[in-house]
């Protein structure tokens, strides 16, 4: 993913949404760019334009997050992923991310 390399969320609680359209608060340019970086452009647009709120399982089904986990599994899973990523060469990983984002932006 261009940013937010791995997205995890509790399966049983919480929601992911962008309610700005409902509270009459237009996105800033920076927030627009953040929303556009979600891995599913159609889902990102739906969230941004309607204010719909999705729980963990719904967000996984729509390709907005990678995993929805029970509370007791969330932190261990995140730490395991972080530990794996920490073993990567930081400079190489950074270049890959920047180039991935640059290529991705050509299509959106």
């Amino acid at each position: 993913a261009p940013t937010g390399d791995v997205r995890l969320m509790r399966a049983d609680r919480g929601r992911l949404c962008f309610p700005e359209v409902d509270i009459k608060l237009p996105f800033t340019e920076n927030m627009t760019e953040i929303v556009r970086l979600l891995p599913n452009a159609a889902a990102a647009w739906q969230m941004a334009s309607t204010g719909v709120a999705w729980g963990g399982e719904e967000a996984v089904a729509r390709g907005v997050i990678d995993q929805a986990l029970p509370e007791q599994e969330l932190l261990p899973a995140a730490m395991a992923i972080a530990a794996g990523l920490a073993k990567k060469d930081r400079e190489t990983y950074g270049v890959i991310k920047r180039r991935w984002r640059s290529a991705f932006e050509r299509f959106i």
Side-chain angles (χ1 to χ4, degrees):
T3 187
D5 302 338
V6 180
R7 295 171 182 88
L8 306 178
M9 185 175 170
R10 276 183 59 173
D12 61 326
R13 187 170 175 197
R15 61 190 189 134
L16 181 62
C17 67
F18 301 110
E20 285 80 354
V21 70
D22 293 326
I23 59 174
K24 300 178 184 178
L25 181 65
F27 289 134
T28 63
E29 287 184 34
N30 288 339
M31 187 62 185
T32 299
E33 291 304 310
I34 290 168
V35 174
R36 288 181 64 216
L37 289 172
L38 288 172
N40 181 332
W45 171 247
Q46 184 180 5
M47 292 174 71
S49 64
T50 68
V52 65
W54 293 327
E57 296 298 332
E58 293 169 302
V60 168
R62 289 173 172 85
V64 178
I65 66 167
D66 299 302
Q67 295 180 58
L69 301 165
E71 179 182 14
Q72 66 274 14
E73 295 177 25
L74 188 59
L75 183 57
M79 296 303 289
I81 292 166
L85 290 175
K87 294 176 185 175
K88 308 297 182 199
D89 178 73
R90 188 180 190 105
E91 185 176 336
T92 301
Y93 192 75
V95 170
I96 290 169
K97 283 182 64 168
R98 284 189 298 279
R99 288 181 180 163
W100 185 275
R101 180 176 181 197
S102 176
F104 176 75
E105 287 176 343
R106 282 184 258 171
F107 299 102
I108 57 174

